[in-house]
């Protein structure tokens, strides 16, 4: 949790160095994020002060900005009176608490916040949080595209009884050209050595997903979910893991009971929609009983896992350290769809909300 009120209203000393942050004035449209000065917060014993050079946009952030269907008063309790959104960051350590042992000023680091706080050029994080040294050969912009979406992809690939043992197996990734999806495709092929990686995306992004490592690509605008099994009968009872980064209810209904192998598992990085036109994460309070019932029914099968990210279940520092090695070796290559500055954060959110981005959107700090 990281908010303007924590860093500014209670900062105390006006002479502290001043940074800048995108502060959410009120929940709603992108323009409600306002750039404001933010004095450095006080460092705790195990805290690190990072001069942030780059961040990125994850869809969950603009869903949070819009309120995610929850009462705004509840979000204020979770995020603070003047929240600063953002999860991913990459930058330079410029200060450390007295108890910090793993990092020192001058270190280049990257990582992901637990809930919010990365849309700023100065950020305090705990030494034990999800961060690692950034590989020297990887730019800050590239590194900042990776941590949160990469952790989600890893959690999905490790879900179920196989627990990441995907060598020689068949993996399907729904939403294969998106932020989580394109990393999941690369990891399944290059890290976990799956025998066959199937990417589901639009026809216009098929070539990109193939370059990411997919052996086969299903274009959803040519082959709807209901027709995938009949179009590929050899996949029936033969898919070991389905990673769903979209949350379209039709995929689970059409594929889970037909394509999954006896030991197969369905890992969802997005909640299923329960209201037309509203993603599952944006369910209204009135929709929550229906959503919980649907999730409980799937979980009871023992073949379904929901990977949320915001409330735990991710690998933290271990995952980020793994991704650092893969980035350095070229096995993981996050794709930058577009780049914006912090002052253009509203435009970056608008682009992400179109749902047509390939890879991720980066935010560059001045």
């Amino acid at each position: 949790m990281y908010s303007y009120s924590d860093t500014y209203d209670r900062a105390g000393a006006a002479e502290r160095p001043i940074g800048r942050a995108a502060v959410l004035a009120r929940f709603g449209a992108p323009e409600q994020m306002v750039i404001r000065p933010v004095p450095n917060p006080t460092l705790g014993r195990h805290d690190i002060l990072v001069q942030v050079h780059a961040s990125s946009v994850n869809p969950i952030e603009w869903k949070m900005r819009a309120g995610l269907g929850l009462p705004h008063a509840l979000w204020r309790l979770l995020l603070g009176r003047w929240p600063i959104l953002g999860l991913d960051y990459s930058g330079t350590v410029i200060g450390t608490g007295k108890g910090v042992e793993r990092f020192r000023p001058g270190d280049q680091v990257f990582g992901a916040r637990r809930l919010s706080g990365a849309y700023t050029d100065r950020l305090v994080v705990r030494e034990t949080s999800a961060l690692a040294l950034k590989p020297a050969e990887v730019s800050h912009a590239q590194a900042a595209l990776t941590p949160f979406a990469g952790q989600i992809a890893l959690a999905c690939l490790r879900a179920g009884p196989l627990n990441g043992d995907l060598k020689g197996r068949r993996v399907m990734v729904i939403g294969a050209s998106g932020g989580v999806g394109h990393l999941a495709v690369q990891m399944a092929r290059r890290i976990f050595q799956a025998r066959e990686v199937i990417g589901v995306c639009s026809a216009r992004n098929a070539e990109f997903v193939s370059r990411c490592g997919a052996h086969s690509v299903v274009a959803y605008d040519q082959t709807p979910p209901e027709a995938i099994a009949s179009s590929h009968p050899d996949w029936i009872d033969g898919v070991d893991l389905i990673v769903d980064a979209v949350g379209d209810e039709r995929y689970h209904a059409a594929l889970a009971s037909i394509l999954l192998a006896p030991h197969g598992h369905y890992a969802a990085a997005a909640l299923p929609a329960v209201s037309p036109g509203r993603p599952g994460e944006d369910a209204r309070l009135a929709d929550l009983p229906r959503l919980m019932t649907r999730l409980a029914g799937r979980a009871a099968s023992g073949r379904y896992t929901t990977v949320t990210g915001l409330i735990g279940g991710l690998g933290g520092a271990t995952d980020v350290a793994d991704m650092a090695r893969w980035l350095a070796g070229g096995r993981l290559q996050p794709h930058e769809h577009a780049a914006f500055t912090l002052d253009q954060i509203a435009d970056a959110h608008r682009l992400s909300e179109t749902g047509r981005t390939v890879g991720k959107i980066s935010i560059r700090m001045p």
Side-chain angles (χ1 to χ4, degrees), residues 26-28 64-77:
R26 60 178 58 87
F27 292 95
M64 292 170 66
R65 187 209 73 228
L68 272 179
L70 298 178
H72 293 173
L74 178 57
W75 276 116
R76 294 296 185 192
L77 288 175

Side-chain angles (χ1 to χ4, degrees), residues 213-247:
H215 299 84
S216 307
V217 178
V218 176
Y220 64 74
D221 42 359
Q222 297 176 356
T223 306
E226 300 78 10
I228 291 177
S230 59
S231 300
H232 301 275
D234 55 314
W235 293 348
I236 294 175
D237 296 328
V239 177
D240 300 285
L241 178 67
I242 297 177
V243 175
D244 182 359
V246 176

Side-chain angles (χ1 to χ4, degrees), residues 96-110:
T96 59
K98 294 181 180 180
V100 173
E101 298 179 351
R102 295 174 52 217
F103 303 96
R104 63 186 61 186
D107 283 347
Q108 307 288 299
V109 298
F110 74 118

Side-chain angles (χ1 to χ4, degrees), residues 250-296:
R250 296 178 302 162
Y251 283 101
H252 185 268
L255 305 180
S257 62
I258 300 176
L259 295 191
L260 284 179
H263 57 266
H265 204 77
Y266 195 103
L271 295 177
V274 292
S275 298
R278 297 178 70 92
E281 293 86 353
D282 198 19
R284 290 180 281 257
L285 286 177
D287 297 325
L288 289 182
R290 186 178 172 194
L291 175 60
M292 292 300 102
T293 299
R294 179 168 293 175
L295 291 175

Side-chain angles (χ1 to χ4, degrees), residues 2-3 22-24 27 33 55 60-66 75 79 82-88 113 115-120 345 349:
Y2 197 70
S3 72
V23 177
L24 185 60
F27 292 95
M33 292 181 294
S55 183
I60 192 62
E61 292 156 6
W62 51 259
K63 294 174 184 178
M64 292 170 66
R65 187 209 73 228
W75 276 116
L79 302 178
W82 301 100
I84 299 167
L85 301 179
L87 299 170
D88 296 309
R113 295 280 299 177
L115 191 61
S116 63
Y119 291 167
T120 180
I345 187 66
H349 270 222

